[in-house]
Amino acid sequence: MKTLIKNIKEIVGVSTNENTNIKSGNKLKDILSVSDGWIMIENNIISDFGSMKDWKGVENWNDTNIIDADNGIVLPSWCDSHTHIVYAGSREIEFLDKINGLSYEEIAKRGGGILNSAQLLSNTSEDDLYAQSEKRVDQVIKLGTGALEIKSGYGLDTENEIKMLRVIKRLKEKYPIPIKSTFLGAHAVPKEKTKEQYIETIINEMLPIISKEKLADYIDVFCDKGFFSPQETETILEAGSKYGLQPKIHANELDFSGGIEVGVKMKALSVDHLEFTSQTQIDILKGSKTMPTLLPGTAFFLGLQYPPARKMIDAGLPVAIATDFNPGSCPSGNMGLIMSLACIKMKMTPTEAINAATINGAYAMGLEKELGLISKGRIANLIITKQIPSINYIPYSMGENNINKVIINGKIYYDSQTNY
């Protein structure tokens, strides 16, 4: 059975080059589109698309489902390459602490932050953790996310890190979107162990189980002030690489941590956060295959300085943007809101933000050949907007839900008219 999407005002993010992958520097502003368009889908894959002026008709209407875009804009679904969506409970008490002037580091020293989430998660069964997490996954898909990365990191011991990764595996099996699993055991150090003891636990206990059960695609480390040093980060990533886990790094959120340097050295797929990034780090990233991934929602929620996106892009770098959806520093998986912050606070243009949230986000999950663009042969994970003036309206209308339908694997996953 084929599916035809008709009455499309504009198809945005198209490509006629099957080898197109990321957008860098000035090319981030480039986004191809087709006005008055149609898209044909077959076996969950985009088989053809074009303008109505080139329309050749349908061979067999009885074998074709019709999706009416109702003069909306069609884009590739968002590719959210950095989330902590599997967590227990919430941390709204810390929200009040932040309002009262405590810093992220001060809250962590009082047993809040990551350690607070670890305690909540330890007291939560795997089934309960799964039930909480699946609601969030469903929510973000309805907000237009068609590919998702989820990290562990709130377990901080072997039993609970494995519990988190098993929940992620269950989410992978249930939901129709690609979900990538990242082992972030090195998110913080539990109170009952020294850092050296905990690193040994990660390497000698956790990684063998993760490998045996095939629970992760990537390995991540929080390389930053007060957490893990560049040397410790390299040791952990090297151990993960022996089990086939490609590196990712939380880098330079709180200070110039050396995380970017380690990421490039270790051929990390992405280095994420990057609030502290100088020309030196930009020069190091240039020429590498490591994607700088920016998380403006975290800077907004914590009151941090924003990553220098404009400086990075003008220097010729690619950038991706992601939500960092987590209970402590960005309790939102709304990629539309994140794009607004990218434009307002980091001075990215709407087209730069769309490319960063689609094709560059796909690259940061190893999915750049499958998603992130509207092209023949790619998975039909698409967003159909409501009737809006232009794509600029998406980040402009901060907080507004402009999505009419979400298409996953060529089928309607969410329709705003039916709320299903």
Side-chain angles (χ1 to χ4, degrees):
M1 180 71 76
K2 297 180 180 180
T3 296
L4 171 69
I5 305 178
K6 66 173 188 175
N7 294 335
I8 303 172
K9 176 180 179 178
E10 186 178 16
I11 308 172
V12 174
V14 305
S15 174
T16 56
N17 181 356
E18 293 180 4
N19 295 318
T20 299
N21 45 42
I22 65 172
K23 298 286 185 78
S24 305
N26 289 333
K27 290 185 178 179
L28 262 169
K29 294 180 181 178
D30 298 338
I31 193 160
L32 297 178
S33 65
V34 174
S35 297
D36 189 22
W38 55 271
I39 298 174
M40 186 67 77
I41 300 165
E42 190 170 0
N43 297 325
N44 307 333
I45 300 296
I46 298 169
S47 59
D48 206 357
F49 65 91
S51 173
M52 286 303 300
K53 66 181 181 181
D54 302 318
W55 173 246
K56 298 177 182 178
V58 173
E59 293 180 1
N60 184 357
W61 286 101
N62 293 325
D63 189 39
T64 305
N65 291 321
I66 305 297
I67 297 176
D68 191 345
D70 192 26
N71 207 36
I73 295 172
V74 176
L75 306 96
S77 59
W78 312 133
C79 297
D80 191 352
S81 64
H82 185 128
T83 81
H84 304 256
I85 210 167
V86 172
Y87 62 85
S90 65
R91 282 165 35 196
E92 71 272 14
I93 296 300
E94 293 175 18
F95 181 61
L96 297 178
D97 289 337
K98 294 184 186 79
I99 292 170
N100 290 326
L102 292 183
S103 71
Y104 184 80
E105 291 174 276
E106 288 170 332
I107 291 170
K109 287 178 181 178
R110 288 173 41 169
I114 296 165
L115 296 180
N116 186 358
S117 284
Q119 184 61 51
L120 288 168
L121 189 134
S122 177
N123 295 330
T124 303
S125 71
E126 181 180 317
D127 286 343
D128 190 6
L129 183 62
Y130 174 80
Q132 292 182 47
S133 302
E134 68 173 346
K135 292 177 182 178
R136 300 183 193 113
V137 173
D138 179 66
Q139 175 191 44
V140 300
I141 297 174
K142 290 176 179 177
L143 289 169
T145 293
L148 187 65
E149 184 255 21
I150 308 175
K151 303 179 189 292
S152 70
Y154 294 133
L156 303 186
D157 61 35
T158 302
E159 177 185 353
N160 288 295
E161 283 294 314
I162 298 303
K163 177 168 69 178
M164 289 190 73
L165 291 168
R166 286 173 177 159
V167 167
I168 298 171
K169 185 175 182 179
R170 289 171 65 181
L171 294 169
K172 281 187 176 190
E173 292 167 352
K174 174 174 180 178
Y175 285 94
I177 66 170
I179 295 177
K180 295 289 187 173
S181 176
T182 298
F183 170 51
L184 180 59
H187 200 193
V189 179
K191 289 181 178 180
E192 63 273 11
K193 290 192 175 184
T194 66
K195 191 184 291 186
E196 292 74 18
Q197 289 172 332
Y198 186 54
I199 290 173
E200 287 182 6
T201 299
I202 290 171
I203 294 172
N204 298 324
E205 291 185 20
M206 297 182 189
L207 280 171
I209 298 172
I210 291 165
S211 176
K212 182 179 179 181
E213 296 190 25
K214 298 179 180 179
L215 293 175
D217 303 294
Y218 305 116
I219 184 168
D220 197 344
V221 177
F222 193 176
C223 181
D224 221 321
K225 179 182 177 182
F227 292 88
F228 293 87
S229 71
Q231 295 75 21
E232 292 160 346
T233 298
E234 189 169 339
T235 296
I236 295 165
L237 294 180
E238 283 180 345
S241 295
K242 292 177 182 177
Y243 289 98
L245 303 181
Q246 186 172 5
K248 283 172 158 275
I249 299 182
H250 280 59
N252 296 39
E253 178 184 1
L254 306 174
D255 205 345
F256 290 97
S257 69
I260 291 174
E261 290 85 342
V262 175
V264 172
K265 178 181 178 181
M266 298 295 296
K267 296 181 172 56
L269 184 58
S270 70
V271 285
D272 303 14
H273 279 291
L274 313 188
E275 281 81 357
F276 289 85
T277 305
S278 70
Q279 187 62 47
T280 299
Q281 282 81 42
I282 289 173
D283 290 340
I284 289 169
L285 283 163
K286 289 176 71 172
S288 78
K289 294 184 178 180
T290 298
M291 177 64 70
T293 300
L294 313 182
L295 312 172
T298 302
F300 172 75
F301 195 78
L302 295 181
L304 303 174
Q305 69 180 34
Y306 286 82
R310 190 75 269 145
K311 189 174 182 179
M312 292 177 178
I313 295 168
D314 292 345
L317 286 178
V319 298
I321 57 175
T323 64
D324 194 21
F325 189 1
N326 75 84
S329 58
C330 188
S332 173
N334 187 336
M335 282 289 280
L337 175 61
I338 298 304
M339 290 170 59
S340 295
L341 292 174
C343 295
I344 296 164
K345 292 296 187 178
M346 300 194 304
K347 305 305 178 185
M348 294 176 67
T349 67
T351 51
E352 287 173 338
I354 289 170
N355 281 324
T358 53
I359 183 58
N360 285 5
Y363 178 91
M365 290 184 277
L367 295 170
E368 73 277 10
K369 301 297 183 184
E370 303 168 45
L371 294 168
L373 293 168
I374 295 176
S375 178
K376 293 180 184 180
R378 290 183 183 247
I379 299 171
N381 286 5
L382 307 167
I383 294 167
I384 303 177
T385 73
K386 298 174 182 176
Q387 294 181 9
I388 59 176
S390 71
I391 57 172
N392 297 335
Y393 190 83
I394 296 172
Y396 161 77
S397 57
M398 183 174 174
E400 183 177 344
N401 187 352
N402 296 297
I403 293 176
N404 185 18
K405 293 181 177 67
V406 175
I407 310 298
I408 301 296
N409 295 326
K411 301 177 179 64
I412 296 175
Y413 184 93
Y414 169 73
D415 187 329
S416 64
Q417 302 301 312
T418 61
N419 200 34
Y420 179 78

mmCIF file of all heavy atoms in Angstrom, residues 23-31 309-310 313-314 317 319-321 339 342-343 346-360 391-392:
data_model
loop_
_atom_site.group_PDB
_atom_site.id
_atom_site.type_symbol
_atom_site.label_atom_id
_atom_site.label_comp_id
_atom_site.label_asym_id
_atom_site.label_seq_id
_atom_site.Cartn_x
_atom_site.Cartn_y
_atom_site.Cartn_z
ATOM 1 N N LYS A 23 25.227 19.835 7.478
ATOM 2 C CA LYS A 23 25.320 21.227 7.023
ATOM 3 C C LYS A 23 26.301 21.960 7.936
ATOM 4 O O LYS A 23 26.161 21.933 9.159
ATOM 5 C CB LYS A 23 23.949 21.898 7.080
ATOM 6 C CG LYS A 23 22.879 21.270 6.185
ATOM 7 C CD LYS A 23 23.103 21.607 4.728
ATOM 8 C CE LYS A 23 21.974 21.093 3.849
ATOM 9 N NZ LYS A 23 20.789 21.933 3.900
ATOM 10 N N SER A 24 27.290 22.632 7.313
ATOM 11 C CA SER A 24 28.324 23.332 8.063
ATOM 12 C C SER A 24 28.388 24.793 7.645
ATOM 13 O O SER A 24 28.086 25.131 6.494
ATOM 14 C CB SER A 24 29.704 22.704 7.814
ATOM 15 O OG SER A 24 29.712 21.334 8.105
ATOM 16 N N GLY A 25 28.822 25.655 8.572
ATOM 17 C CA GLY A 25 29.097 27.048 8.257
ATOM 18 C C GLY A 25 27.972 27.722 7.509
ATOM 19 O O GLY A 25 26.801 27.638 7.888
ATOM 20 N N ASN A 26 28.311 28.393 6.419
ATOM 21 C CA ASN A 26 27.322 29.124 5.632
ATOM 22 C C ASN A 26 26.239 28.221 5.056
ATOM 23 O O ASN A 26 25.118 28.672 4.798
ATOM 24 C CB ASN A 26 28.013 29.880 4.494
ATOM 25 C CG ASN A 26 28.833 31.053 4.986
ATOM 26 O OD1 ASN A 26 28.541 31.627 6.036
ATOM 27 N ND2 ASN A 26 29.874 31.425 4.231
ATOM 28 N N LYS A 27 26.557 26.934 4.845
ATOM 29 C CA LYS A 27 25.573 26.015 4.270
ATOM 30 C C LYS A 27 24.435 25.710 5.235
ATOM 31 O O LYS A 27 23.399 25.188 4.820
ATOM 32 C CB LYS A 27 26.269 24.731 3.829
ATOM 33 C CG LYS A 27 27.177 24.930 2.624
ATOM 34 C CD LYS A 27 27.763 23.616 2.135
ATOM 35 C CE LYS A 27 28.637 23.830 0.905
ATOM 36 N NZ LYS A 27 29.238 22.571 0.410
ATOM 37 N N LEU A 28 24.651 26.020 6.532
ATOM 38 C CA LEU A 28 23.557 25.843 7.495
ATOM 39 C C LEU A 28 22.355 26.718 7.146
ATOM 40 O O LEU A 28 21.221 26.406 7.511
ATOM 41 C CB LEU A 28 24.036 26.164 8.905
ATOM 42 C CG LEU A 28 24.449 24.996 9.795
ATOM 43 C CD1 LEU A 28 25.136 25.496 11.052
ATOM 44 C CD2 LEU A 28 23.266 24.124 10.152
ATOM 45 N N LYS A 29 22.607 27.827 6.450
ATOM 46 C CA LYS A 29 21.508 28.718 6.068
ATOM 47 C C LYS A 29 20.745 28.204 4.858
ATOM 48 O O LYS A 29 19.648 28.679 4.561
ATOM 49 C CB LYS A 29 22.052 30.118 5.773
ATOM 50 C CG LYS A 29 22.629 30.845 6.978
ATOM 51 C CD LYS A 29 23.146 32.214 6.581
ATOM 52 C CE LYS A 29 23.740 32.939 7.790
ATOM 53 N NZ LYS A 29 24.307 34.257 7.436
ATOM 54 N N ASP A 30 21.360 27.257 4.145
ATOM 55 C CA ASP A 30 20.740 26.755 2.917
ATOM 56 C C ASP A 30 19.729 25.666 3.238
ATOM 57 O O ASP A 30 20.055 24.679 3.919
ATOM 58 C CB ASP A 30 21.802 26.176 1.980
ATOM 59 C CG ASP A 30 22.810 27.221 1.537
ATOM 60 O OD1 ASP A 30 22.476 28.417 1.590
ATOM 61 O OD2 ASP A 30 23.922 26.830 1.145
ATOM 62 N N ILE A 31 18.528 25.848 2.764
ATOM 63 C CA ILE A 31 17.518 24.809 2.944
ATOM 64 C C ILE A 31 16.633 24.796 1.699
ATOM 65 O O ILE A 31 16.029 25.803 1.334
ATOM 66 C CB ILE A 31 16.700 25.040 4.237
ATOM 67 C CG1 ILE A 31 15.888 23.798 4.588
ATOM 68 C CG2 ILE A 31 15.840 26.277 4.189
ATOM 69 C CD1 ILE A 31 15.452 23.756 6.045
ATOM 70 N N ALA A 309 27.134 29.900 19.406
ATOM 71 C CA ALA A 309 26.718 29.276 18.149
ATOM 72 C C ALA A 309 27.120 30.118 16.951
ATOM 73 O O ALA A 309 27.610 29.589 15.942
ATOM 74 C CB ALA A 309 25.212 29.058 18.158
ATOM 75 N N ARG A 310 26.897 31.426 17.043
ATOM 76 C CA ARG A 310 27.197 32.296 15.911
ATOM 77 C C ARG A 310 28.673 32.236 15.549
ATOM 78 O O ARG A 310 29.056 32.156 14.380
ATOM 79 C CB ARG A 310 26.789 33.722 16.280
ATOM 80 C CG ARG A 310 26.791 34.729 15.176
ATOM 81 C CD ARG A 310 25.623 34.585 14.223
ATOM 82 N NE ARG A 310 25.935 33.709 13.091
ATOM 83 C CZ ARG A 310 25.075 32.895 12.523
ATOM 84 N NH1 ARG A 310 23.850 32.768 12.974
ATOM 85 N NH2 ARG A 310 25.433 32.159 11.498
ATOM 86 N N ILE A 313 29.417 28.798 13.855
ATOM 87 C CA ILE A 313 28.905 28.698 12.484
ATOM 88 C C ILE A 313 29.713 29.588 11.548
ATOM 89 O O ILE A 313 30.093 29.174 10.448
ATOM 90 C CB ILE A 313 27.415 29.069 12.454
ATOM 91 C CG1 ILE A 313 26.589 28.047 13.242
ATOM 92 C CG2 ILE A 313 26.907 29.149 11.011
ATOM 93 C CD1 ILE A 313 25.163 28.475 13.522
ATOM 94 N N ASP A 314 30.000 30.804 11.978
ATOM 95 C CA ASP A 314 30.758 31.729 11.135
ATOM 96 C C ASP A 314 32.179 31.238 10.882
ATOM 97 O O ASP A 314 32.808 31.623 9.895
ATOM 98 C CB ASP A 314 30.781 33.124 11.765
ATOM 99 C CG ASP A 314 29.410 33.796 11.769
ATOM 100 O OD1 ASP A 314 28.517 33.312 11.033
ATOM 101 O OD2 ASP A 314 29.222 34.774 12.513
ATOM 102 N N LEU A 317 31.935 25.723 11.253
ATOM 103 C CA LEU A 317 31.562 24.478 11.918
ATOM 104 C C LEU A 317 30.105 24.114 11.643
ATOM 105 O O LEU A 317 29.268 24.985 11.434
ATOM 106 C CB LEU A 317 31.754 24.597 13.428
ATOM 107 C CG LEU A 317 33.178 24.573 13.982
ATOM 108 C CD1 LEU A 317 33.138 24.752 15.490
ATOM 109 C CD2 LEU A 317 33.889 23.284 13.627
ATOM 110 N N VAL A 319 26.684 22.626 13.519
ATOM 111 C CA VAL A 319 26.170 22.485 14.887
ATOM 112 C C VAL A 319 24.849 21.735 14.824
ATOM 113 O O VAL A 319 24.093 21.854 13.860
ATOM 114 C CB VAL A 319 25.954 23.837 15.629
ATOM 115 C CG1 VAL A 319 27.265 24.584 15.780
ATOM 116 C CG2 VAL A 319 24.918 24.694 14.939
ATOM 117 N N ALA A 320 24.602 20.938 15.853
ATOM 118 C CA ALA A 320 23.289 20.335 16.073
ATOM 119 C C ALA A 320 22.689 20.980 17.316
ATOM 120 O O ALA A 320 23.424 21.521 18.158
ATOM 121 C CB ALA A 320 23.417 18.830 16.269
ATOM 122 N N ILE A 321 21.377 20.953 17.433
ATOM 123 C CA ILE A 321 20.726 21.379 18.666
ATOM 124 C C ILE A 321 19.841 20.244 19.165
ATOM 125 O O ILE A 321 19.279 19.479 18.373
ATOM 126 C CB ILE A 321 19.902 22.677 18.521
ATOM 127 C CG1 ILE A 321 18.839 22.554 17.425
ATOM 128 C CG2 ILE A 321 20.819 23.865 18.276
ATOM 129 C CD1 ILE A 321 17.925 23.776 17.337
ATOM 130 N N MET A 339 14.306 25.335 19.429
ATOM 131 C CA MET A 339 14.640 26.104 18.235
ATOM 132 C C MET A 339 14.419 27.592 18.457
ATOM 133 O O MET A 339 15.217 28.427 18.003
ATOM 134 C CB MET A 339 13.820 25.605 17.048
ATOM 135 C CG MET A 339 14.223 24.222 16.564
ATOM 136 S SD MET A 339 13.062 23.553 15.359
ATOM 137 C CE MET A 339 13.144 24.789 14.087
ATOM 138 N N ALA A 342 17.312 28.812 20.381
ATOM 139 C CA ALA A 342 18.493 28.867 19.524
ATOM 140 C C ALA A 342 18.508 30.154 18.705
ATOM 141 O O ALA A 342 19.567 30.777 18.520
ATOM 142 C CB ALA A 342 18.538 27.656 18.605
ATOM 143 N N CYS A 343 17.337 30.559 18.216
ATOM 144 C CA CYS A 343 17.247 31.789 17.421
ATOM 145 C C CYS A 343 17.350 33.035 18.290
ATOM 146 O O CYS A 343 18.103 33.967 17.988
ATOM 147 C CB CYS A 343 15.941 31.802 16.636
ATOM 148 S SG CYS A 343 15.799 30.513 15.381
ATOM 149 N N MET A 346 20.890 32.488 20.800
ATOM 150 C CA MET A 346 22.171 32.164 20.164
ATOM 151 C C MET A 346 22.286 32.767 18.765
ATOM 152 O O MET A 346 23.254 32.512 18.054
ATOM 153 C CB MET A 346 22.376 30.649 20.116
ATOM 154 C CG MET A 346 22.386 29.991 21.482
ATOM 155 S SD MET A 346 23.017 28.286 21.534
ATOM 156 C CE MET A 346 21.974 27.452 20.359
ATOM 157 N N LYS A 347 21.263 33.558 18.372
ATOM 158 C CA LYS A 347 21.273 34.302 17.113
ATOM 159 C C LYS A 347 21.410 33.409 15.880
ATOM 160 O O LYS A 347 21.961 33.809 14.859
ATOM 161 C CB LYS A 347 22.385 35.356 17.116
ATOM 162 C CG LYS A 347 22.319 36.315 18.295
ATOM 163 C CD LYS A 347 20.969 37.002 18.396
ATOM 164 C CE LYS A 347 20.887 37.937 19.608
ATOM 165 N NZ LYS A 347 19.520 38.509 19.773
ATOM 166 N N MET A 348 20.878 32.199 15.979
ATOM 167 C CA MET A 348 20.786 31.352 14.796
ATOM 168 C C MET A 348 19.569 31.767 13.985
ATOM 169 O O MET A 348 18.550 32.186 14.543
ATOM 170 C CB MET A 348 20.682 29.877 15.202
ATOM 171 C CG MET A 348 21.926 29.336 15.876
ATOM 172 S SD MET A 348 21.764 27.609 16.473
ATOM 173 C CE MET A 348 21.631 26.726 14.913
ATOM 174 N N THR A 349 19.655 31.652 12.670
ATOM 175 C CA THR A 349 18.491 31.933 11.846
ATOM 176 C C THR A 349 17.536 30.737 11.898
ATOM 177 O O THR A 349 17.942 29.623 12.243
ATOM 178 C CB THR A 349 18.898 32.179 10.386
ATOM 179 O OG1 THR A 349 19.404 30.956 9.824
ATOM 180 C CG2 THR A 349 19.975 33.264 10.284
ATOM 181 N N PRO A 350 16.274 30.929 11.549
ATOM 182 C CA PRO A 350 15.343 29.794 11.550
ATOM 183 C C PRO A 350 15.806 28.624 10.684
ATOM 184 O O PRO A 350 15.667 27.466 11.084
ATOM 185 C CB PRO A 350 14.043 30.407 11.023
ATOM 186 C CG PRO A 350 14.106 31.833 11.486
ATOM 187 C CD PRO A 350 15.556 32.212 11.342
ATOM 188 N N THR A 351 16.366 28.907 9.507
ATOM 189 C CA THR A 351 16.818 27.803 8.658
ATOM 190 C C THR A 351 18.026 27.095 9.278
ATOM 191 O O THR A 351 18.147 25.869 9.173
ATOM 192 C CB THR A 351 17.158 28.290 7.242
ATOM 193 O OG1 THR A 351 18.052 29.408 7.316
ATOM 194 C CG2 THR A 351 15.908 28.693 6.497
ATOM 195 N N GLU A 352 18.911 27.846 9.928
ATOM 196 C CA GLU A 352 20.026 27.212 10.626
ATOM 197 C C GLU A 352 19.519 26.312 11.740
ATOM 198 O O GLU A 352 20.022 25.200 11.941
ATOM 199 C CB GLU A 352 20.959 28.279 11.201
ATOM 200 C CG GLU A 352 21.798 29.002 10.157
ATOM 201 C CD GLU A 352 22.588 30.164 10.717
ATOM 202 O OE1 GLU A 352 22.204 30.690 11.794
ATOM 203 O OE2 GLU A 352 23.587 30.561 10.094
ATOM 204 N N ALA A 353 18.519 26.791 12.471
ATOM 205 C CA ALA A 353 17.967 26.007 13.579
ATOM 206 C C ALA A 353 17.291 24.731 13.069
ATOM 207 O O ALA A 353 17.425 23.661 13.672
ATOM 208 C CB ALA A 353 16.977 26.848 14.383
ATOM 209 N N ILE A 354 16.579 24.830 11.947
ATOM 210 C CA ILE A 354 15.923 23.649 11.383
ATOM 211 C C ILE A 354 16.960 22.623 10.945
ATOM 212 O O ILE A 354 16.837 21.429 11.239
ATOM 213 C CB ILE A 354 14.996 24.045 10.218
ATOM 214 C CG1 ILE A 354 13.770 24.797 10.754
ATOM 215 C CG2 ILE A 354 14.550 22.808 9.436
ATOM 216 C CD1 ILE A 354 12.913 25.430 9.674
ATOM 217 N N ASN A 355 17.992 23.058 10.246
ATOM 218 C CA ASN A 355 19.048 22.127 9.839
ATOM 219 C C ASN A 355 19.742 21.505 11.040
ATOM 220 O O ASN A 355 20.080 20.314 11.039
ATOM 221 C CB ASN A 355 20.070 22.846 8.952
ATOM 222 C CG ASN A 355 19.606 23.020 7.529
ATOM 223 O OD1 ASN A 355 18.930 22.164 6.980
ATOM 224 N ND2 ASN A 355 19.957 24.138 6.920
ATOM 225 N N ALA A 356 19.961 22.312 12.084
ATOM 226 C CA ALA A 356 20.616 21.808 13.291
ATOM 227 C C ALA A 356 19.746 20.795 14.020
ATOM 228 O O ALA A 356 20.264 19.869 14.664
ATOM 229 C CB ALA A 356 20.964 22.965 14.223
ATOM 230 N N ALA A 357 18.428 20.938 13.902
ATOM 231 C CA ALA A 357 17.487 20.055 14.595
ATOM 232 C C ALA A 357 17.080 18.848 13.766
ATOM 233 O O ALA A 357 16.393 17.960 14.272
ATOM 234 C CB ALA A 357 16.230 20.841 14.979
ATOM 235 N N THR A 358 17.510 18.810 12.505
ATOM 236 C CA THR A 358 17.115 17.700 11.628
ATOM 237 C C THR A 358 18.349 16.943 11.126
ATOM 238 O O THR A 358 18.784 15.990 11.759
ATOM 239 C CB THR A 358 16.249 18.213 10.459
ATOM 240 O OG1 THR A 358 16.928 19.282 9.770
ATOM 241 C CG2 THR A 358 14.900 18.713 10.956
ATOM 242 N N ILE A 359 18.957 17.371 10.040
ATOM 243 C CA ILE A 359 20.039 16.586 9.452
ATOM 244 C C ILE A 359 21.266 16.529 10.355
ATOM 245 O O ILE A 359 21.902 15.475 10.491
ATOM 246 C CB ILE A 359 20.411 17.115 8.033
ATOM 247 C CG1 ILE A 359 21.492 16.241 7.394
ATOM 248 C CG2 ILE A 359 20.820 18.574 8.077
ATOM 249 C CD1 ILE A 359 21.120 14.777 7.250
ATOM 250 N N ASN A 360 21.611 17.638 11.037
ATOM 251 C CA ASN A 360 22.789 17.597 11.913
ATOM 252 C C ASN A 360 22.505 16.811 13.186
ATOM 253 O O ASN A 360 23.386 16.131 13.720
ATOM 254 C CB ASN A 360 23.268 19.005 12.230
ATOM 255 C CG ASN A 360 23.989 19.652 11.056
ATOM 256 O OD1 ASN A 360 24.061 19.088 9.972
ATOM 257 N ND2 ASN A 360 24.525 20.843 11.266
ATOM 258 N N ILE A 391 8.217 28.953 7.380
ATOM 259 C CA ILE A 391 8.970 28.201 8.381
ATOM 260 C C ILE A 391 9.536 29.110 9.468
ATOM 261 O O ILE A 391 9.811 28.654 10.576
ATOM 262 C CB ILE A 391 10.101 27.374 7.736
ATOM 263 C CG1 ILE A 391 11.046 28.262 6.937
ATOM 264 C CG2 ILE A 391 9.535 26.244 6.911
ATOM 265 C CD1 ILE A 391 12.282 27.536 6.444
ATOM 266 N N ASN A 392 9.714 30.390 9.163
ATOM 267 C CA ASN A 392 10.196 31.323 10.193
ATOM 268 C C ASN A 392 9.229 31.420 11.364
ATOM 269 O O ASN A 392 9.624 31.767 12.483
ATOM 270 C CB ASN A 392 10.403 32.721 9.601
ATOM 271 C CG ASN A 392 11.463 32.751 8.529
ATOM 272 O OD1 ASN A 392 12.358 31.911 8.507
ATOM 273 N ND2 ASN A 392 11.373 33.712 7.621
#
